[in-house]
Amino acid sequence: MIIIERYWQEDNPSGGCKLLSYVKRKAFSDNDVEGVEKFINENAPIIGYKWKNIEYKYIKL
């Protein structure tokens, strides 16, 4: 099993110069290459709020 954590920031929709921070974790089986690629290549769901400072952490169980 592989657990991937994605950390990122995006602009605050209420304005100002502050960035909001987010974390998303997802577990994958060892042979789920397609799922891992989809998770890593995912983009911001809201147009105009691009992700910034993206980091990934991989944990192999």
Side-chain angles (χ1 to χ4, degrees):
M1 177 177 279
I2 301 168
I3 300 173
I4 301 177
E5 296 179 344
R6 177 177 52 228
Y7 302 89
W8 76 95
Q9 295 178 320
E10 55 186 57
D11 293 325
N12 189 342
S14 63
C17 60
K18 186 175 181 179
L19 294 174
L20 300 176
S21 298
Y22 297 95
V23 176
K24 184 173 183 180
R25 294 175 189 90
K26 194 162 183 181
F28 301 93
S29 64
D30 290 341
N31 57 355
D32 187 9
V33 176
E34 184 178 316
V36 170
E37 286 180 2
K38 184 177 178 184
F39 183 77
I40 291 174
N41 294 324
E42 193 173 16
N43 292 316
I46 301 172
I47 297 172
Y49 291 95
K50 294 188 176 189
W51 292 344
K52 302 172 182 177
N53 305 322
I54 302 170
E55 297 178 20
Y56 294 93
K57 181 178 179 182
Y58 303 89
I59 302 170
K60 173 77 170 126
L61 300 178

Short mmCIF file of all heavy atoms in Angstrom, two decimals:
data_model
loop_
_atom_site.label_atom_id
_atom_site.label_comp_id
_atom_site.label_asym_id
_atom_site.label_seq_id
_atom_site.Cartn_x
_atom_site.Cartn_y
_atom_site.Cartn_z
N MET A 1 0.84 -1.17 0.00
CA MET A 1 0.00 0.00 0.00
C MET A 1 0.90 1.24 0.00
O MET A 1 1.92 1.28 0.67
CB MET A 1 -0.91 0.00 1.22
CG MET A 1 -1.77 1.24 1.32
SD MET A 1 -2.91 1.21 2.69
CE MET A 1 -4.19 0.20 1.99
N ILE A 2 0.48 2.24 -0.75
CA ILE A 2 1.19 3.51 -0.84
C ILE A 2 0.23 4.62 -0.44
O ILE A 2 -0.90 4.66 -0.90
CB ILE A 2 1.69 3.77 -2.27
CG1 ILE A 2 2.63 2.66 -2.72
CG2 ILE A 2 2.37 5.13 -2.38
CD1 ILE A 2 2.92 2.69 -4.20
N ILE A 3 0.67 5.49 0.44
CA ILE A 3 -0.11 6.66 0.82
C ILE A 3 0.62 7.89 0.30
O ILE A 3 1.81 8.05 0.54
CB ILE A 3 -0.31 6.76 2.33
CG1 ILE A 3 -1.05 5.51 2.83
CG2 ILE A 3 -1.04 8.04 2.71
CD1 ILE A 3 -1.16 5.41 4.33
N ILE A 4 -0.11 8.74 -0.42
CA ILE A 4 0.47 9.97 -0.96
C ILE A 4 -0.25 11.14 -0.33
O ILE A 4 -1.48 11.19 -0.30
CB ILE A 4 0.36 10.03 -2.49
CG1 ILE A 4 1.08 8.84 -3.13
CG2 ILE A 4 0.95 11.35 -3.00
CD1 ILE A 4 0.95 8.79 -4.64
N GLU A 5 0.53 12.09 0.19
CA GLU A 5 -0.01 13.32 0.74
C GLU A 5 0.40 14.46 -0.18
O GLU A 5 1.56 14.57 -0.55
CB GLU A 5 0.52 13.60 2.14
CG GLU A 5 0.12 12.59 3.15
CD GLU A 5 0.69 12.89 4.53
OE1 GLU A 5 1.62 13.70 4.63
OE2 GLU A 5 0.19 12.30 5.49
N ARG A 6 -0.56 15.30 -0.54
CA ARG A 6 -0.27 16.47 -1.37
C ARG A 6 -0.53 17.71 -0.53
O ARG A 6 -1.60 17.88 0.04
CB ARG A 6 -1.14 16.49 -2.61
CG ARG A 6 -0.91 17.73 -3.47
CD ARG A 6 -1.72 17.76 -4.76
NE ARG A 6 -3.12 17.54 -4.52
CZ ARG A 6 -3.87 16.68 -5.20
NH1 ARG A 6 -3.37 15.96 -6.17
NH2 ARG A 6 -5.13 16.52 -4.93
N TYR A 7 0.47 18.58 -0.43
CA TYR A 7 0.35 19.85 0.25
C TYR A 7 0.39 20.95 -0.81
O TYR A 7 1.22 20.91 -1.71
CB TYR A 7 1.54 20.08 1.20
CG TYR A 7 1.70 19.00 2.24
CD1 TYR A 7 2.46 17.87 1.99
CD2 TYR A 7 1.10 19.13 3.48
CE1 TYR A 7 2.61 16.88 2.94
CE2 TYR A 7 1.25 18.15 4.45
CZ TYR A 7 2.00 17.02 4.17
OH TYR A 7 2.16 16.05 5.11
N TRP A 8 -0.51 21.94 -0.72
CA TRP A 8 -0.48 23.04 -1.68
C TRP A 8 -1.13 24.27 -1.06
O TRP A 8 -1.76 24.20 -0.02
CB TRP A 8 -1.16 22.66 -2.98
CG TRP A 8 -2.66 22.63 -2.97
CD1 TRP A 8 -3.50 23.63 -3.33
CD2 TRP A 8 -3.50 21.54 -2.56
NE1 TRP A 8 -4.81 23.23 -3.20
CE2 TRP A 8 -4.83 21.95 -2.72
CE3 TRP A 8 -3.26 20.26 -2.07
CZ2 TRP A 8 -5.91 21.14 -2.41
CZ3 TRP A 8 -4.33 19.46 -1.77
CH2 TRP A 8 -5.63 19.89 -1.94
N GLN A 9 -0.93 25.39 -1.74
CA GLN A 9 -1.54 26.65 -1.34
C GLN A 9 -2.25 27.25 -2.55
O GLN A 9 -1.88 26.99 -3.69
CB GLN A 9 -0.48 27.64 -0.85
CG GLN A 9 0.21 27.18 0.41
CD GLN A 9 1.29 28.14 0.84
OE1 GLN A 9 2.01 28.67 0.02
NE2 GLN A 9 1.38 28.37 2.14
N GLU A 10 -3.28 28.04 -2.28
CA GLU A 10 -3.95 28.77 -3.34
C GLU A 10 -4.43 30.11 -2.80
O GLU A 10 -4.52 30.30 -1.58
CB GLU A 10 -5.09 27.98 -3.97
CG GLU A 10 -6.13 27.48 -3.04
CD GLU A 10 -7.14 26.57 -3.73
OE1 GLU A 10 -6.76 25.55 -4.32
OE2 GLU A 10 -8.34 26.89 -3.64
N ASP A 11 -4.71 31.03 -3.71
CA ASP A 11 -5.14 32.36 -3.32
C ASP A 11 -6.44 32.30 -2.53
O ASP A 11 -7.30 31.46 -2.78
CB ASP A 11 -5.35 33.24 -4.55
CG ASP A 11 -4.06 33.54 -5.28
OD1 ASP A 11 -3.02 33.68 -4.60
OD2 ASP A 11 -4.08 33.61 -6.52
N ASN A 12 -6.57 33.23 -1.59
CA ASN A 12 -7.78 33.32 -0.78
C ASN A 12 -8.90 33.93 -1.63
O ASN A 12 -8.76 35.03 -2.13
CB ASN A 12 -7.49 34.21 0.43
CG ASN A 12 -8.59 34.19 1.45
OD1 ASN A 12 -9.71 33.82 1.15
ND2 ASN A 12 -8.29 34.62 2.66
N PRO A 13 -10.04 33.24 -1.80
CA PRO A 13 -11.11 33.78 -2.63
C PRO A 13 -11.75 35.05 -2.06
O PRO A 13 -12.37 35.81 -2.78
CB PRO A 13 -12.13 32.64 -2.70
CG PRO A 13 -11.75 31.65 -1.70
CD PRO A 13 -10.33 31.92 -1.30
N SER A 14 -11.57 35.31 -0.76
CA SER A 14 -12.15 36.52 -0.18
C SER A 14 -11.23 37.73 -0.36
O SER A 14 -11.54 38.81 0.13
CB SER A 14 -12.45 36.31 1.30
OG SER A 14 -11.27 36.05 2.03
N GLY A 15 -10.11 37.53 -1.05
CA GLY A 15 -9.21 38.65 -1.33
C GLY A 15 -8.03 38.69 -0.39
O GLY A 15 -7.82 37.81 0.44
N GLY A 16 -7.26 39.74 -0.53
CA GLY A 16 -6.06 39.88 0.30
C GLY A 16 -4.91 39.10 -0.30
O GLY A 16 -5.03 38.43 -1.31
N CYS A 17 -3.78 39.21 0.35
CA CYS A 17 -2.58 38.55 -0.19
C CYS A 17 -2.28 37.24 0.54
O CYS A 17 -1.27 36.61 0.29
CB CYS A 17 -1.39 39.50 -0.12
SG CYS A 17 -1.01 40.04 1.55
N LYS A 18 -3.15 36.82 1.43
CA LYS A 18 -2.93 35.60 2.19
C LYS A 18 -3.24 34.37 1.34
O LYS A 18 -4.23 34.33 0.62
CB LYS A 18 -3.81 35.59 3.43
CG LYS A 18 -3.55 34.43 4.36
CD LYS A 18 -4.37 34.54 5.61
CE LYS A 18 -4.07 33.37 6.52
NZ LYS A 18 -4.83 33.44 7.76
N LEU A 19 -2.38 33.35 1.43
CA LEU A 19 -2.61 32.08 0.75
C LEU A 19 -3.23 31.09 1.72
O LEU A 19 -2.88 31.04 2.90
CB LEU A 19 -1.29 31.51 0.22
CG LEU A 19 -0.60 32.31 -0.87
CD1 LEU A 19 0.77 31.70 -1.17
CD2 LEU A 19 -1.43 32.37 -2.13
N LEU A 20 -4.15 30.29 1.24
CA LEU A 20 -4.76 29.23 2.04
C LEU A 20 -4.01 27.93 1.78
O LEU A 20 -3.66 27.62 0.65
CB LEU A 20 -6.23 29.07 1.67
CG LEU A 20 -7.11 30.30 1.87
CD1 LEU A 20 -8.52 30.02 1.37
CD2 LEU A 20 -7.13 30.70 3.33
N SER A 21 -3.76 27.15 2.83
CA SER A 21 -3.03 25.89 2.73
C SER A 21 -3.99 24.72 2.81
O SER A 21 -4.96 24.74 3.56
CB SER A 21 -2.00 25.78 3.86
OG SER A 21 -1.07 26.82 3.77
N TYR A 22 -3.68 23.67 2.03
CA TYR A 22 -4.52 22.47 1.98
C TYR A 22 -3.65 21.22 2.00
O TYR A 22 -2.50 21.24 1.60
CB TYR A 22 -5.35 22.45 0.70
CG TYR A 22 -6.32 23.59 0.58
CD1 TYR A 22 -5.98 24.74 -0.11
CD2 TYR A 22 -7.58 23.51 1.17
CE1 TYR A 22 -6.88 25.80 -0.22
CE2 TYR A 22 -8.48 24.55 1.06
CZ TYR A 22 -8.12 25.69 0.37
OH TYR A 22 -9.01 26.72 0.26
N VAL A 23 -4.25 20.11 2.45
CA VAL A 23 -3.61 18.80 2.43
C VAL A 23 -4.65 17.79 1.97
O VAL A 23 -5.80 17.83 2.38
CB VAL A 23 -3.11 18.39 3.84
CG1 VAL A 23 -2.54 16.99 3.82
CG2 VAL A 23 -2.11 19.37 4.39
N LYS A 24 -4.24 16.90 1.08
CA LYS A 24 -5.11 15.80 0.66
C LYS A 24 -4.28 14.52 0.69
O LYS A 24 -3.17 14.49 0.19
CB LYS A 24 -5.65 16.03 -0.75
CG LYS A 24 -6.63 14.95 -1.18
CD LYS A 24 -7.29 15.27 -2.48
CE LYS A 24 -8.30 14.20 -2.85
NZ LYS A 24 -8.95 14.49 -4.13
N ARG A 25 -4.84 13.48 1.31
CA ARG A 25 -4.17 12.17 1.40
C ARG A 25 -5.02 11.15 0.66
O ARG A 25 -6.24 11.19 0.72
CB ARG A 25 -4.03 11.75 2.85
CG ARG A 25 -3.12 12.62 3.65
CD ARG A 25 -3.13 12.20 5.12
NE ARG A 25 -2.42 13.17 5.91
CZ ARG A 25 -2.97 14.23 6.47
NH1 ARG A 25 -4.26 14.45 6.34
NH2 ARG A 25 -2.25 15.07 7.18
N LYS A 26 -4.31 10.23 0.04
CA LYS A 26 -5.03 9.15 -0.66
C LYS A 26 -4.17 7.90 -0.62
O LYS A 26 -2.96 7.97 -0.75
CB LYS A 26 -5.32 9.56 -2.10
CG LYS A 26 -6.33 8.69 -2.78
CD LYS A 26 -6.90 9.34 -4.00
CE LYS A 26 -7.96 8.43 -4.59
NZ LYS A 26 -8.54 8.98 -5.78
N ALA A 27 -4.82 6.75 -0.44
CA ALA A 27 -4.13 5.46 -0.39
C ALA A 27 -4.32 4.72 -1.72
O ALA A 27 -5.38 4.78 -2.33
CB ALA A 27 -4.66 4.62 0.75
N PHE A 28 -3.26 4.04 -2.14
CA PHE A 28 -3.27 3.30 -3.40
C PHE A 28 -2.68 1.91 -3.16
O PHE A 28 -1.80 1.74 -2.31
CB PHE A 28 -2.42 4.00 -4.46
CG PHE A 28 -2.86 5.40 -4.77
CD1 PHE A 28 -2.32 6.48 -4.11
CD2 PHE A 28 -3.83 5.63 -5.74
CE1 PHE A 28 -2.72 7.77 -4.40
CE2 PHE A 28 -4.24 6.91 -6.03
CZ PHE A 28 -3.69 7.99 -5.36
N SER A 29 -3.13 0.95 -3.95
CA SER A 29 -2.49 -0.37 -3.91
C SER A 29 -1.14 -0.26 -4.61
O SER A 29 -0.88 0.68 -5.36
CB SER A 29 -3.37 -1.42 -4.58
OG SER A 29 -3.51 -1.13 -5.96
N ASP A 30 -0.28 -1.21 -4.37
CA ASP A 30 1.08 -1.17 -4.93
C ASP A 30 1.11 -1.15 -6.45
O ASP A 30 2.03 -0.62 -7.05
CB ASP A 30 1.89 -2.37 -4.43
CG ASP A 30 2.22 -2.26 -2.96
OD1 ASP A 30 2.15 -1.14 -2.42
OD2 ASP A 30 2.54 -3.29 -2.35
N ASN A 31 0.11 -1.70 -7.10
CA ASN A 31 0.13 -1.78 -8.57
C ASN A 31 -0.86 -0.82 -9.24
O ASN A 31 -1.16 -0.95 -10.42
CB ASN A 31 -0.14 -3.22 -9.04
CG ASN A 31 -1.45 -3.74 -8.51
OD1 ASN A 31 -2.12 -3.08 -7.73
ND2 ASN A 31 -1.81 -4.94 -8.91
N ASP A 32 -1.34 0.18 -8.52
CA ASP A 32 -2.29 1.15 -9.07
C ASP A 32 -1.56 2.36 -9.68
O ASP A 32 -1.66 3.48 -9.20
CB ASP A 32 -3.27 1.62 -8.00
CG ASP A 32 -4.38 2.50 -8.54
OD1 ASP A 32 -4.50 2.63 -9.78
OD2 ASP A 32 -5.13 3.06 -7.72
N VAL A 33 -0.84 2.11 -10.75
CA VAL A 33 -0.05 3.16 -11.41
C VAL A 33 -0.96 4.24 -11.98
O VAL A 33 -0.67 5.44 -11.85
CB VAL A 33 0.84 2.55 -12.53
CG1 VAL A 33 1.58 3.63 -13.28
CG2 VAL A 33 1.80 1.53 -11.95
N GLU A 34 -2.06 3.85 -12.57
CA GLU A 34 -2.98 4.81 -13.18
C GLU A 34 -3.57 5.76 -12.13
O GLU A 34 -3.67 6.97 -12.34
CB GLU A 34 -4.10 4.07 -13.90
CG GLU A 34 -5.05 4.97 -14.65
CD GLU A 34 -6.12 4.18 -15.39
OE1 GLU A 34 -5.77 3.17 -16.03
OE2 GLU A 34 -7.28 4.58 -15.32
N GLY A 35 -3.96 5.23 -10.99
CA GLY A 35 -4.52 6.06 -9.92
C GLY A 35 -3.51 7.04 -9.35
O GLY A 35 -3.84 8.20 -9.08
N VAL A 36 -2.25 6.59 -9.19
CA VAL A 36 -1.19 7.46 -8.68
C VAL A 36 -0.92 8.58 -9.67
O VAL A 36 -0.82 9.75 -9.28
CB VAL A 36 0.10 6.65 -8.40
CG1 VAL A 36 1.26 7.58 -8.10
CG2 VAL A 36 -0.12 5.68 -7.25
N GLU A 37 -0.83 8.26 -10.95
CA GLU A 37 -0.58 9.29 -11.97
C GLU A 37 -1.72 10.31 -12.01
O GLU A 37 -1.49 11.51 -12.13
CB GLU A 37 -0.40 8.65 -13.34
CG GLU A 37 0.93 7.95 -13.51
CD GLU A 37 1.09 7.32 -14.89
OE1 GLU A 37 0.18 7.47 -15.74
OE2 GLU A 37 2.13 6.69 -15.09
N LYS A 38 -2.95 9.85 -11.91
CA LYS A 38 -4.10 10.75 -11.92
C LYS A 38 -4.06 11.69 -10.72
O LYS A 38 -4.33 12.89 -10.86
CB LYS A 38 -5.40 9.93 -11.92
CG LYS A 38 -6.64 10.76 -12.03
CD LYS A 38 -7.88 9.89 -12.10
CE LYS A 38 -9.13 10.74 -12.15
NZ LYS A 38 -10.34 9.93 -12.12
N PHE A 39 -3.72 11.17 -9.55
CA PHE A 39 -3.64 11.99 -8.33
C PHE A 39 -2.53 13.04 -8.45
O PHE A 39 -2.73 14.20 -8.11
CB PHE A 39 -3.39 11.09 -7.12
CG PHE A 39 -3.36 11.82 -5.81
CD1 PHE A 39 -4.54 12.24 -5.20
CD2 PHE A 39 -2.16 12.07 -5.16
CE1 PHE A 39 -4.52 12.91 -3.99
CE2 PHE A 39 -2.14 12.74 -3.95
CZ PHE A 39 -3.32 13.15 -3.37
N ILE A 40 -1.38 12.65 -8.96
CA ILE A 40 -0.24 13.57 -9.07
C ILE A 40 -0.49 14.64 -10.13
O ILE A 40 -0.08 15.79 -9.97
CB ILE A 40 1.06 12.78 -9.36
CG1 ILE A 40 1.43 11.97 -8.12
CG2 ILE A 40 2.20 13.70 -9.76
CD1 ILE A 40 2.60 11.04 -8.33
N ASN A 41 -1.17 14.29 -11.21
CA ASN A 41 -1.39 15.23 -12.31
C ASN A 41 -2.68 16.05 -12.16
O ASN A 41 -3.02 16.81 -13.05
CB ASN A 41 -1.42 14.48 -13.64
CG ASN A 41 -0.07 13.89 -13.97
OD1 ASN A 41 0.96 14.47 -13.67
ND2 ASN A 41 -0.08 12.71 -14.55
N GLU A 42 -3.35 15.91 -11.04
CA GLU A 42 -4.60 16.64 -10.80
C GLU A 42 -4.33 18.14 -10.74
O GLU A 42 -3.30 18.59 -10.24
CB GLU A 42 -5.20 16.16 -9.48
CG GLU A 42 -6.61 16.58 -9.23
CD GLU A 42 -7.17 15.90 -7.99
OE1 GLU A 42 -6.41 15.37 -7.18
OE2 GLU A 42 -8.39 15.93 -7.83
N ASN A 43 -5.27 18.94 -11.24
CA ASN A 43 -5.16 20.39 -11.22
C ASN A 43 -6.22 20.99 -10.32
O ASN A 43 -7.15 20.31 -9.89
CB ASN A 43 -5.33 20.96 -12.63
CG ASN A 43 -4.18 20.59 -13.53
OD1 ASN A 43 -3.03 20.67 -13.14
ND2 ASN A 43 -4.48 20.19 -14.76
N ALA A 44 -6.09 22.29 -10.09
CA ALA A 44 -7.07 23.00 -9.26
C ALA A 44 -8.46 22.91 -9.89
O ALA A 44 -8.61 23.13 -11.09
CB ALA A 44 -6.66 24.45 -9.11
N PRO A 45 -9.50 22.59 -9.12
CA PRO A 45 -10.84 22.44 -9.68
C PRO A 45 -11.52 23.77 -10.01
O PRO A 45 -12.46 23.81 -10.78
CB PRO A 45 -11.60 21.70 -8.59
CG PRO A 45 -10.88 22.03 -7.33
CD PRO A 45 -9.44 22.23 -7.71
N ILE A 46 -11.05 24.87 -9.42
CA ILE A 46 -11.67 26.18 -9.65
C ILE A 46 -10.76 26.99 -10.56
O ILE A 46 -9.60 27.25 -10.24
CB ILE A 46 -11.89 26.93 -8.32
CG1 ILE A 46 -12.79 26.10 -7.40
CG2 ILE A 46 -12.50 28.29 -8.57
CD1 ILE A 46 -12.92 26.65 -6.00
N ILE A 47 -11.29 27.40 -11.70
CA ILE A 47 -10.50 28.18 -12.66
C ILE A 47 -10.12 29.52 -12.03
O ILE A 47 -10.94 30.19 -11.42
CB ILE A 47 -11.30 28.40 -13.95
CG1 ILE A 47 -11.58 27.05 -14.62
CG2 ILE A 47 -10.57 29.32 -14.91
CD1 ILE A 47 -12.52 27.11 -15.79
N GLY A 48 -8.85 29.88 -12.17
CA GLY A 48 -8.36 31.14 -11.62
C GLY A 48 -7.69 30.99 -10.26
O GLY A 48 -7.08 31.93 -9.76
N TYR A 49 -7.83 29.84 -9.63
CA TYR A 49 -7.19 29.59 -8.34
C TYR A 49 -6.18 28.45 -8.50
O TYR A 49 -6.41 27.33 -8.06
CB TYR A 49 -8.23 29.24 -7.27
CG TYR A 49 -9.10 30.40 -6.91
CD1 TYR A 49 -10.32 30.60 -7.52
CD2 TYR A 49 -8.68 31.35 -5.98
CE1 TYR A 49 -11.12 31.68 -7.22
CE2 TYR A 49 -9.46 32.44 -5.67
CZ TYR A 49 -10.69 32.59 -6.29
OH TYR A 49 -11.47 33.67 -5.99
N LYS A 50 -5.07 28.76 -9.15
CA LYS A 50 -4.06 27.74 -9.39
C LYS A 50 -3.33 27.38 -8.10
O LYS A 50 -3.15 28.21 -7.22
CB LYS A 50 -3.04 28.25 -10.42
CG LYS A 50 -3.66 28.44 -11.78
CD LYS A 50 -2.61 28.75 -12.80
CE LYS A 50 -3.28 28.84 -14.16
NZ LYS A 50 -2.34 28.94 -15.24
N TRP A 51 -2.93 26.11 -8.02
CA TRP A 51 -2.18 25.64 -6.86
C TRP A 51 -0.77 26.19 -6.91
O TRP A 51 -0.14 26.26 -7.95
CB TRP A 51 -2.15 24.13 -6.84
CG TRP A 51 -3.49 23.51 -6.58
CD1 TRP A 51 -4.61 24.11 -6.08
CD2 TRP A 51 -3.86 22.16 -6.81
NE1 TRP A 51 -5.63 23.23 -5.99
CE2 TRP A 51 -5.21 22.01 -6.43
CE3 TRP A 51 -3.18 21.07 -7.29
CZ2 TRP A 51 -5.87 20.81 -6.51
CZ3 TRP A 51 -3.86 19.87 -7.39
CH2 TRP A 51 -5.19 19.75 -6.99
N LYS A 52 -0.25 26.54 -5.75
CA LYS A 52 1.11 27.06 -5.62
C LYS A 52 1.83 26.25 -4.55
O LYS A 52 1.21 25.71 -3.65
CB LYS A 52 1.08 28.53 -5.22
CG LYS A 52 0.33 29.41 -6.19
CD LYS A 52 0.17 30.81 -5.66
CE LYS A 52 -0.65 31.61 -6.67
NZ LYS A 52 -0.91 32.96 -6.22
N ASN A 53 3.15 26.21 -4.64
CA ASN A 53 3.99 25.55 -3.63
C ASN A 53 3.54 24.11 -3.37
O ASN A 53 3.38 23.68 -2.24
CB ASN A 53 3.98 26.33 -2.31
CG ASN A 53 4.39 27.78 -2.51
OD1 ASN A 53 5.28 28.08 -3.30
ND2 ASN A 53 3.73 28.69 -1.82
N ILE A 54 3.35 23.34 -4.43
CA ILE A 54 2.87 21.96 -4.32
C ILE A 54 4.02 21.06 -3.86
O ILE A 54 5.12 21.12 -4.38
CB ILE A 54 2.34 21.45 -5.66
CG1 ILE A 54 1.22 22.36 -6.15
CG2 ILE A 54 1.84 20.02 -5.54
CD1 ILE A 54 0.79 22.09 -7.57
N GLU A 55 3.74 20.23 -2.86
CA GLU A 55 4.71 19.25 -2.36
C GLU A 55 3.99 17.92 -2.19
O GLU A 55 2.81 17.88 -1.89
CB GLU A 55 5.27 19.69 -1.00
CG GLU A 55 6.06 20.97 -1.04
CD GLU A 55 6.56 21.36 0.34
OE1 GLU A 55 6.62 20.49 1.24
OE2 GLU A 55 6.87 22.53 0.52
N TYR A 56 4.73 16.83 -2.40
CA TYR A 56 4.20 15.48 -2.24
C TYR A 56 5.03 14.73 -1.22
O TYR A 56 6.24 14.89 -1.15
CB TYR A 56 4.20 14.72 -3.56
CG TYR A 56 3.27 15.29 -4.59
CD1 TYR A 56 3.71 16.22 -5.52
CD2 TYR A 56 1.94 14.89 -4.61
CE1 TYR A 56 2.83 16.75 -6.46
CE2 TYR A 56 1.06 15.42 -5.54
CZ TYR A 56 1.52 16.34 -6.46
OH TYR A 56 0.65 16.86 -7.38
N LYS A 57 4.36 13.89 -0.44
CA LYS A 57 5.03 13.00 0.50
C LYS A 57 4.51 11.59 0.26
O LYS A 57 3.29 11.38 0.22
CB LYS A 57 4.72 13.43 1.94
CG LYS A 57 5.40 12.58 2.98
CD LYS A 57 5.07 13.08 4.37
CE LYS A 57 5.72 12.22 5.42
NZ LYS A 57 5.36 12.68 6.77
N TYR A 58 5.42 10.67 0.04
CA TYR A 58 5.06 9.29 -0.27
C TYR A 58 5.39 8.42 0.94
O TYR A 58 6.48 8.49 1.48
CB TYR A 58 5.83 8.77 -1.47
CG TYR A 58 5.63 9.61 -2.72
CD1 TYR A 58 6.43 10.69 -2.99
CD2 TYR A 58 4.62 9.29 -3.61
CE1 TYR A 58 6.24 11.47 -4.11
CE2 TYR A 58 4.42 10.05 -4.75
CZ TYR A 58 5.23 11.13 -4.99
OH TYR A 58 5.05 11.90 -6.11
N ILE A 59 4.46 7.56 1.32
CA ILE A 59 4.68 6.62 2.41
C ILE A 59 4.35 5.23 1.91
O ILE A 59 3.26 4.97 1.41
CB ILE A 59 3.76 6.96 3.62
CG1 ILE A 59 4.03 8.39 4.11
CG2 ILE A 59 3.98 5.96 4.74
CD1 ILE A 59 3.02 8.87 5.11
N LYS A 60 5.30 4.33 2.01
CA LYS A 60 5.12 2.93 1.59
C LYS A 60 4.89 2.09 2.82
O LYS A 60 5.70 2.08 3.74
CB LYS A 60 6.38 2.47 0.84
CG LYS A 60 6.40 1.00 0.50
CD LYS A 60 5.52 0.71 -0.68
CE LYS A 60 5.79 -0.72 -1.13
NZ LYS A 60 4.61 -1.50 -1.20
N LEU A 61 3.77 1.40 2.87
CA LEU A 61 3.46 0.53 4.02
C LEU A 61 3.71 -0.92 3.68
O LEU A 61 3.61 -1.34 2.57
CB LEU A 61 2.00 0.71 4.44
CG LEU A 61 1.60 2.11 4.87
CD1 LEU A 61 0.12 2.15 5.22
CD2 LEU A 61 2.41 2.55 6.07
#
